[in-house]
Amino acid sequence: MVKYTLAQSPDIILTVPGKDSAKARDKAMDQLMELMETDQLSTELTEGFSPQQLIEVKESTLEHSSDEDDVIQAVQVLSNLATLKLKVQESRNEALEIRKAVDILFTDQTVTEEEITRLKEGFKVLKNFAQANLRYQEAKAKAEQARIILDQALKSPDH
């Protein structure tokens, strides 16, 4: 079954057996003409109307996703969270050391060229840590819903 609507009247749904094709659109046009002839179509199609102007109505895949797909997606979200957590943990200490060294830029203390070079190299580590930490925080928020989905899927039917 394929469904069509009109941009001028989205409340009108024309249902035709089969897939979207020229033949199906012609059948939908027949239904449209019938509606017009019986005054059931409130919209005036004064400029004419062609089968190509019919808009195919597709069912929302989000509304119809299966529980199994939800579980698979939840596991992927949790796996991503685990990877990000590890990445953040691995770079945290080094990033915090570099962060302490940044404070020297805000003092009147003399700084060597070597210290500045080390700092500049450390900025990459700081940037990577900060980005990974932001992604981890975002993933953690999304993973809360994934954890709920997984808990529901793991529930025993006895409980």
Side-chain angles (χ1 to χ4, degrees), residues 4-18:
Y4 298 103
T5 189
L6 317 171
Q8 300 87 336
S9 295
D11 56 313
I12 301 289
I13 302 290
L14 307 167
T15 304
V16 179

Side-chain angles (χ1 to χ4, degrees), residues 1-149:
M1 295 294 262
V2 65
K3 297 178 182 182
Y4 298 103
T5 189
L6 317 171
Q8 300 87 336
S9 295
D11 56 313
I12 301 289
I13 302 290
L14 307 167
T15 304
V16 179
K19 297 179 182 177
D20 181 30
S21 65
K23 190 175 181 181
R25 286 178 178 269
D26 286 340
K27 288 179 182 178
M29 281 299 289
D30 293 341
Q31 289 181 20
L32 180 62
M33 295 302 289
E34 192 175 309
L35 289 174
M36 290 172 70
E37 289 169 5
T38 58
D39 292 326
Q40 292 178 354
L41 182 66
S42 58
T43 306
E44 287 290 321
L45 301 173
T46 53
E47 297 173 16
F49 196 81
S50 72
Q52 289 75 27
Q53 291 174 288
L54 290 168
I55 300 168
E56 184 179 359
V57 178
K58 296 194 182 216
E59 298 297 321
S60 172
T61 54
L62 290 177
E63 291 175 25
H64 300 294
S65 72
S66 73
D67 290 342
E68 192 174 327
D69 290 343
D70 291 345
V71 169
I72 290 168
Q73 188 174 2
V75 170
Q76 288 172 338
V77 166
L78 292 169
S79 175
N80 183 45
L81 179 66
T83 302
L84 288 169
K85 182 173 181 126
L86 193 58
K87 190 173 187 177
V88 166
Q89 286 177 346
E90 289 171 350
S91 60
R92 173 176 271 126
N93 288 336
E94 188 179 0
L96 291 175
E97 287 299 316
I98 295 163
R99 171 58 189 92
K100 287 179 194 171
V102 168
D103 290 341
I104 199 166
L105 296 173
F106 296 93
T107 67
D108 292 334
Q109 229 177 310
T110 316
V111 196
T112 66
E113 192 173 324
E114 185 182 297
E115 289 173 310
I116 295 294
T117 303
R118 205 172 31 239
L119 261 178
K120 285 184 176 181
E121 289 170 1
F123 289 153
K124 294 173 191 168
V125 173
L126 273 177
K127 182 186 87 169
N128 290 340
F129 169 76
Q131 288 175 328
N133 195 37
L134 286 172
R135 285 195 301 270
Y136 170 69
Q137 297 302 326
E138 289 171 6
K140 193 174 177 183
K142 289 179 186 174
E144 288 297 329
Q145 184 64 32
R147 180 167 48 175
I148 292 168
I149 290 169

